Structures are given as C-alpha cells and as structure tokens.
Amino acid sequence: MATLSVANIFNLSKASLVKFGALDWIAAAVADAIANSESVGNRICGLYYLESYCLQLKSGRVRGDIEPIVSQEKAGIVRVDAKFGFAQPAFQRGIVLAREAALENGICSLAIGGAHTCTSLGYFTEQITKSNLIGLGFTNASPIVAAPGGKSRIIGTNPIAFSVPDGKGNTAIHFDQSTTAVALGKITMAKAAGEKIPFGWALDKNGEPTTDPEAALEGSLVSSGGYKGWGFGLMAEVLAAGLAGGLASQFVQPLKAKDGEPHNLGQYYILIDPQNATALENLLNDLETAVSRDQGTRLPGQGKVAEEFVVVPDDLLLLLEKLTGMEWKD
C-alpha cells in the first residue's frame, strides 16, 4: 500500500482516460469525480471503477469523444442527451443552464438521458449546493432488486442523493444512498475479498436469504426497509428512466462488462432555490443543536472533510501503472 495525493489520483485517472480515447475535458470531468470519491473514502466509486471506464472506452460501450446536447424545453426543465457518453461531462454541460433557471424560477429539473453510470450520485447534488441551491438526485442501474416477496430482478439499486446548503458556502445535510440494504459494490468487494456478507443484504436465486456474496450476485438484493425502500426505488426508476429518458433497469446490461450495449441510463435532478429562507436557516440550526445533544450523533454529511492524501492498495497501484503506462509518483 502507498499514500497518494488526491491531486495525483486525478492526474493519473485523467491520463488513463485520455489514453483510452476520452477527450481532455471529458477525461478531466470523470477524473474529478474519481478523485473526489477517493478523498471522502467512497472507494466503490473511485479508482475501483477506473479500469471499467477505460475498457469500455476501448470497446466503444461508452463514448469519450462526444459532445452532450443541452436543451431547455420549458423555463424550469433542462434536458441533456449524453449521447451514450459519460454522465459527468453531461452534467457539467447541463448544470450551467439549470442553475440559472433555478435561481430565476425558484426550481428547475435537470434530466440527463442516454448516459453512462454516474457512479457517485451525491457528487452531483453536492455540486448543486455550491450555488446555494438544494439538490435532489435520482438514478437507476442494472437490475438486481426483486419486488418484496419475489425473486425476479426488476430494478437496480437506484440511488437517491440529497444535499442542502448552509447558506455559508458549505453543505449542511448530505446523503447519497442506494434504495437497497447495501450498495452492489459492497457485495462484489466482499466476493473479491473472500468474505461473507450479513444476513438481510441479499437473497439467492431461489429467493432465500444468503451470506454468500456469489449467491447474492446470482440472486437479488433486498430493498432497504422492505416495501418502503422498494417504493423509493420505483420512484427513482420513474424519474430516471421515465422522465430523463434512460433505459428501464430491467433492460440495462451489467455495468462493468467491458463490452456490450451502452448503459443508456438516466439521472434526474431537482434544483431548489431556498431564496435565503430564514425558516430554513433556523431549522438547520435547530436540527444541528438537537442532534448534537447525544454524543456520537450528527446530521448526514456533517463534519465530512475531504482528505488531501489517501492510502491506495497495491492492486490498485499496479492497475494505475498498467492503465497509464507510467509509474505513480507523488
């Protein structure tokens, strides 16, 4: 293991993506998301995904040389056609117009269709708060979740993210979570490490609870809170696939397969202008005070500090050298 600066993770990730065919600005947008995920300990959405991005660039499953198309259908509706490219550059192009519309109208939706997996949905909603806007995001994924009581895969882990600004340039509340009991990446990482998973995370192909990650990957994940999480997953499905124009989860091919049909996923964001609402500021202060009365408790995202240096396992270091064709140095 070695310690790398987040800046170097960005540079190495960008170099890898450019080497495999991404335009410079597109590679930079994706690399920034990778580096950001690593800086806050979200390893599943960081370097863990880099090889997949590169191999899919090489096979053409994701386009790294395409310009997203932005349109504004109504005053409060901004739409981006990612053209089977990465979600990060599509968001980068669309957020400019969506931000202006939200500030002018009080609210705006930003719908991105035909996109690669966005990986960390909270990365985007947290960017929305930088303009003192509340950000709410939804996306869908390849099918891995059955309806409560069933075993047929219908929807993906379908994350929801929510970020609230504190009015002082920081984020007061921030969470990014799948609508399943656990993210799919934790199952695959457990399998790679030869570890068991807790009961309540997944079912095998017969619909029975399992602690075997391989059996889980052949079966289905459990919705968080049973039918309650299933409902939130369906909400994300409607917004991301129905309104944003992405493919329904049940038709999406495995996300990390190096070739095949494009992901064609949707992301749907709602930007809300709190308009310097005194009531919101008072509520946030009251919530923070109330939550902090109990030792060890906090609001979601409160106190989160991005690290400048992170520890990277040896296998990922070797992968970086392989992808970039250069030795890592800090």
Side-chain angles (χ1 to χ4, degrees), residues 61-72:
R61 192 178 183 201
V62 60
R63 295 287 303 274
D65 59 350
I66 198 75
E67 185 74 22
I69 298 175
V70 182
S71 59
Q72 188 169 12

Side-chain angles (χ1 to χ4, degrees), residues 82-87 90 112-118 246 262-267:
K83 308 292 288 184
F84 301 143
F86 287 106
I112 300 174
H116 206 62
T117 176
C118 68
H263 289 182
N264 195 9
L265 292 170
Q267 291 95 39

Side-chain angles (χ1 to χ4, degrees), residues 192 200 205 215 292 320:
K205 61 183 179 182
S292 63
L320 279 172

Side-chain angles (χ1 to χ4, degrees), residues 305-316:
V305 178
E307 301 291 339
E308 293 184 21
F309 295 87
V310 297
V311 176
V312 178
D314 290 337
D315 58 339
L316 284 181

Side-chain angles (χ1 to χ4, degrees), residues 271-312:
L271 294 73
I272 304 169
D273 183 5
Q275 301 175 0
N276 300 316
T278 303
L280 175 61
E281 183 178 350
N282 290 339
L283 171 66
L284 293 173
N285 289 333
D286 290 345
L287 283 172
E288 184 177 351
T289 299
V291 170
S292 63
R293 288 184 190 136
D294 295 330
Q295 187 174 1
T297 62
R298 59 177 176 79
L299 292 171
Q302 183 181 4
K304 182 183 71 173
V305 178
E307 301 291 339
E308 293 184 21
F309 295 87
V310 297
V311 176
V312 178

Side-chain angles (χ1 to χ4, degrees), residues 1-321:
M1 304 180 86
T3 300
L4 269 67
S5 68
V6 172
N8 200 16
I9 288 175
F10 168 83
N11 291 332
L12 291 168
S13 298
K14 180 183 174 183
S16 300
L17 295 163
V18 169
K19 178 183 175 182
F20 281 83
L23 298 177
D24 189 84
W25 78 272
I26 290 176
V30 179
D32 186 73
I34 292 173
N36 178 271
S37 291
E38 289 288 339
S39 73
V40 295
N42 184 3
R43 297 299 170 82
I44 295 173
C45 296
L47 290 171
Y48 177 72
Y49 245 96
L50 181 58
E51 182 180 30
S52 173
Y53 290 149
C54 292
L55 293 178
Q56 291 179 35
L57 277 169
K58 185 177 181 179
S59 71
R61 192 178 183 201
V62 60
R63 295 287 303 274
D65 59 350
I66 198 75
E67 185 74 22
I69 298 175
V70 182
S71 59
Q72 188 169 12
E73 298 179 355
K74 294 183 179 180
I77 302 176
V78 175
R79 186 175 297 278
V80 183
D81 181 356
K83 308 292 288 184
F84 301 143
F86 287 106
Q88 292 86 354
F91 180 88
Q92 189 178 105
R93 285 290 191 261
I95 189 61
V96 177
L97 197 56
R99 183 189 299 116
E100 293 174 356
L103 291 172
E104 181 176 351
N105 303 305
I107 191 169
C108 179
S109 64
L110 171 59
I112 300 174
H116 206 62
T117 176
C118 68
T119 319
S120 173
L121 185 64
Y123 167 77
F124 302 93
T125 59
E126 200 162 26
Q127 288 189 56
I128 293 171
T129 66
K130 293 178 180 178
S131 298
N132 199 35
L133 297 169
I134 295 171
L136 181 60
F138 308 84
T139 189
N140 63 331
S142 53
I144 192 64
V145 183
K151 59 183 180 181
S152 300
R153 297 175 172 185
I154 306 297
I155 63 174
T157 54
N158 291 14
I160 295 175
F162 183 59
S163 302
V164 181
D166 66 357
K168 305 171 186 175
N170 300 308
T171 302
I173 298 176
H174 171 70
F175 67 79
D176 174 7
Q177 58 196 45
S178 65
T179 51
T180 49
V182 68
L184 179 60
K186 289 194 175 181
I187 305 285
T188 58
M189 291 177 77
K191 178 185 175 182
E195 299 172 349
K196 296 289 186 181
I197 60 174
F199 271 118
W201 279 15
L203 308 174
D204 64 20
K205 61 183 179 182
N206 297 315
E208 298 296 328
T210 182
T211 60
D212 181 355
E214 187 167 357
L217 293 172
E218 294 175 355
S220 60
L221 299 190
V222 174
S223 294
S224 178
Y227 68 89
K228 296 180 180 180
W230 167 251
F232 279 115
L234 289 176
M235 178 173 65
E237 186 78 10
V238 168
L239 295 174
L243 294 189
L247 201 62
S249 288
Q250 59 183 308
F251 304 118
V252 177
Q253 301 302 306
L255 298 186
K256 296 194 76 175
K258 65 180 180 180
D259 50 26
E261 294 296 315
H263 289 182
N264 195 9
L265 292 170
Q267 291 95 39
Y268 191 87
Y269 302 95
I270 300 173
L271 294 73
I272 304 169
D273 183 5
Q275 301 175 0
N276 300 316
T278 303
L280 175 61
E281 183 178 350
N282 290 339
L283 171 66
L284 293 173
N285 289 333
D286 290 345
L287 283 172
E288 184 177 351
T289 299
V291 170
S292 63
R293 288 184 190 136
D294 295 330
Q295 187 174 1
T297 62
R298 59 177 176 79
L299 292 171
Q302 183 181 4
K304 182 183 71 173
V305 178
E307 301 291 339
E308 293 184 21
F309 295 87
V310 297
V311 176
V312 178
D314 290 337
D315 58 339
L316 284 181
L317 289 172
L318 291 173
L319 178 61
L320 279 172
E321 293 181 354

